Amino acid sequence: MELGPMEFGVFHEFPRSEGMTDTTGFDNGFELVDAAERWGLDAIWLAELHISPRSVLASPIAIAAAIAARTERMKIGTAVQVLPLAHPLRQAEEWATIDQISKGRLIFGVGRSGFARTYNAYGIPYAESRERFAEALTIITKAWTEPSISYHGKYNTIDNVTLTPRPYQQPHPPIRIAATTPDTFVTLGTQGYDMFAAVRLGTISDLVPDLNNYQAAWKAAGHDGHGKVFLRIPVYVADTKQQAIDEPEQSLMTFYRNMANQLAQSATEAGANPNEKREERSQGLAELTYESARREKVVVGTPEMVTERLMELREELGLSGILAELNCGGQIPHHQVMHSLDLLCNKVMPAFK
């Protein structure tokens, strides 16, 4: 499989650690964005986190607009826009606007989120999330590409609407879709979508059969080339091996313990997919050791160690790029995160270009 240049992105949550003000969360977040633009990062990826005390990134559309205005080169991605939570025509208009003001730098990453808390807060049943997601993506794509759209679905009825503005990129911005369950990998391959994979819940080795199935489905459907896979994974780069191991440990392990609790609570939610094995994965995260996490779920080390490991993962998983999560858990001091970004951009990235 010919993979081409590796795309380097950073998955950014605009974290707000305990005791930090909202203003500091925004200031730190934009400092990282400005440095990433200056140091040549390919893409900044914005989360969508509602009613979350650990982040100020509740409005990715507003943050994306601000990034578009203060940068000229870097791609702006959503990882992910949670499609079932807003009207699809509104999303089509707003993200076309971002694509216009950024002069075609939007990558539209979409998903439906794995947890029901936000759906409950918004009054949308999580059990409807899969169907609502499919409807929304169909409507957005049609609105971007057709002269006018009429659509009569289970959740949306649209009659003869013409979208304004249109996206800058034609026929539309690149679309990438998050996959977490085995059936979704096959579906995305069949439909010909590039995809996000992640290892928050499972392990790197768990991904191999799912990605093989994705590429097999892509080929069987007759699509050209191969499906592009972009891996979201915690990455931490430091000057010495010991610093790289020690500095992110508390943040990472607190994150995995919290994730275990959330998974256990969500396993019984209406609409939870049994293929996601939430109870099993919750127990696995609760028992996870830091040594196992470093081996199976994260990439930490000196620039040389991180370069070597990412090259291994690129070959093993057929990666076209990564979304490096530099502050998984949100507890790593900001100056250390900035230094990690510096090393990633200036010491690791050049080996892949």
Side-chain angles (χ1 to χ4, degrees), residues 256-320:
Y256 288 124
R257 298 291 180 260
N258 291 339
M259 181 66 70
N261 292 334
Q262 290 180 48
L263 275 175
Q265 292 168 10
S266 68
T268 58
E269 290 280 356
N273 190 328
N275 289 334
E276 293 175 1
K277 303 176 182 176
R278 296 188 182 207
E279 289 185 10
E280 177 183 324
R281 285 177 162 174
S282 171
Q283 184 175 352
L285 288 177
E287 297 171 354
L288 183 71
T289 66
Y290 187 43
E291 182 181 2
S292 294
R294 297 197 338 255
R295 185 173 61 250
E296 301 173 343
K297 299 173 78 66
V298 306
V299 177
V300 299
T302 63
E304 295 75 20
M305 293 168 62
V306 170
T307 299
E308 181 180 2
R309 182 60 175 139
L310 290 179
M311 285 188 170
E312 291 173 355
L313 291 178
R314 184 188 188 197
E315 292 302 315
E316 181 182 358
L317 303 177
L319 299 182
S320 294

Side-chain angles (χ1 to χ4, degrees), residues 108-119:
F108 195 52
V110 295
R112 60 187 183 92
S113 177
F115 298 105
R117 182 180 63 176
T118 302
Y119 283 83

Side-chain angles (χ1 to χ4, degrees), residues 7 33 37 41-45 64-78 95-108 167-169 173-174 176:
E7 178 190 273
V33 167
E37 167 81 356
L41 189 74
D42 296 319
I44 196 80
W45 291 95
I67 293 173
R70 64 197 293 148
T71 59
E72 297 179 351
R73 177 198 55 78
M74 187 166 54
K75 297 282 188 179
I76 304 164
T78 55
W95 289 109
T97 300
I98 296 297
D99 199 43
Q100 284 287 347
I101 64 177
S102 68
K103 295 293 190 286
R105 290 186 283 137
L106 174 67
I107 306 174
F108 195 52
Y168 184 93
Q169 299 175 85
R176 299 179 190 171

Side-chain angles (χ1 to χ4, degrees), residues 42-262:
D42 296 319
I44 196 80
W45 291 95
L46 301 176
E48 179 179 355
L49 296 167
H50 300 287
I51 54 173
S52 173
R54 63 183 177 87
S55 169
V56 295
L57 218 173
S59 179
I61 188 76
I63 297 292
I67 293 173
R70 64 197 293 148
T71 59
E72 297 179 351
R73 177 198 55 78
M74 187 166 54
K75 297 282 188 179
I76 304 164
T78 55
V80 292
Q81 176 71 29
V82 186
L83 294 189
L85 297 183
H87 195 284
L89 277 182
R90 177 73 176 266
Q91 294 180 86
E93 292 170 331
E94 291 188 336
W95 289 109
T97 300
I98 296 297
D99 199 43
Q100 284 287 347
I101 64 177
S102 68
K103 295 293 190 286
R105 290 186 283 137
L106 174 67
I107 306 174
F108 195 52
V110 295
R112 60 187 183 92
S113 177
F115 298 105
R117 182 180 63 176
T118 302
Y119 283 83
N120 294 337
Y122 276 45
I124 299 171
Y126 187 66
E128 298 173 0
S129 63
R130 189 178 291 265
E131 291 180 335
R132 284 181 177 272
F133 172 84
E135 272 199 22
L137 185 57
T138 298
I139 291 167
I140 291 168
T141 305
K142 284 179 175 289
W144 280 345
T145 57
E146 297 182 1
S148 65
I149 176 175
S150 294
Y151 184 91
H152 298 87
K154 185 174 180 180
Y155 303 103
N156 299 275
T157 299
I158 301 166
D159 289 304
N160 194 30
V161 171
T162 298
L163 189 82
T164 304
R166 296 281 169 157
Y168 184 93
Q169 299 175 85
Q170 293 296 315
H172 56 72
I175 295 172
R176 299 179 190 171
I177 302 180
T180 55
T181 59
D183 57 322
T184 306
F185 285 84
V186 175
T187 299
L188 296 184
T190 301
Q191 294 175 341
Y193 283 111
D194 295 336
M195 62 155 295
F196 300 119
V199 289
R200 278 188 167 185
L201 307 184
T203 65
I204 291 166
S205 58
D206 290 339
L207 281 176
V208 174
D210 287 332
L211 292 177
N212 288 340
N213 291 337
Y214 165 71
Q215 298 294 357
W218 179 284
K219 184 176 181 180
H223 302 299
D224 292 337
H226 60 87
K228 293 182 179 179
V229 176
F230 300 85
L231 178 67
R232 185 182 74 186
I233 187 168
V235 175
Y236 191 79
V237 198
D239 295 313
T240 69
K241 177 181 178 181
Q242 203 58 48
Q243 284 176 305
I245 291 172
D246 292 345
E247 289 173 358
E249 179 177 2
Q250 179 180 339
S251 188
L252 283 166
M253 296 312 292
T254 300
F255 171 81
Y256 288 124
R257 298 291 180 260
N258 291 339
M259 181 66 70
N261 292 334
Q262 290 180 48

